[in-house]
Amino acid sequence: MASEHFFYVLLCRDQTFYGGYTTDLTRRLKQHNAGTGAKYTKLKKRRPLSMIHAEKFATRSEALKAEAAFKKLTRKKKEDYLQTNAAKNILPADLRTRNALL
């Protein structure tokens, strides 16, 4: 049983955002960049992807709720969310990618 649950945000090559859930951030980013992570990120026009945000939750349910809420936001509101919640971003420095949009 996984003890860490994460909501994460990827920035795709086409500048779109993808939000997801995982228990292993590094593995999940590798899967997405290999084209096996999700139907949305399978398209070559969306790869490579950069993980730009991740939040840790105590339960799977909490992380999935954060993912679902993020996916319902407009592009502008997603950008606002990422800026306002930057302090919650727990990505290690070697995994984080800064982007000029944010």
Side-chain angles (χ1 to χ4, degrees), residues 25-69:
L25 294 169
T26 304
R27 174 186 51 81
R28 195 68 177 134
L29 180 59
K30 286 179 184 176
Q31 288 174 331
H32 282 294
N33 275 314
T36 60
K39 189 190 314 188
Y40 186 81
T41 58
K42 186 175 185 172
L43 299 173
K44 286 188 178 185
K45 73 176 186 175
R46 297 217 165 89
R47 294 181 277 134
L49 305 114
S50 300
M51 191 170 287
I52 59 169
H53 186 86
E55 295 177 34
K56 186 175 177 180
F57 292 89
T59 67
R60 180 177 188 261
S61 176
E62 290 173 325
L64 288 172
K65 285 177 185 174
E67 174 194 5

Side-chain angles (χ1 to χ4, degrees), residues 53-101:
H53 186 86
E55 295 177 34
K56 186 175 177 180
F57 292 89
T59 67
R60 180 177 188 261
S61 176
E62 290 173 325
L64 288 172
K65 285 177 185 174
E67 174 194 5
F70 184 82
K71 287 183 173 185
K72 290 179 184 176
L73 299 175
T74 64
R75 169 68 188 216
K76 174 69 174 118
K77 297 241 185 221
K78 287 176 182 176
E79 291 171 351
D80 292 345
Y81 177 91
L82 294 170
Q83 286 180 349
T84 334
N85 292 285
K88 294 181 183 179
N89 191 350
I90 55 90
L91 282 179
D94 64 325
L95 200 53
R96 188 179 305 198
T97 301
R98 292 286 179 202
N99 188 281
L101 289 177

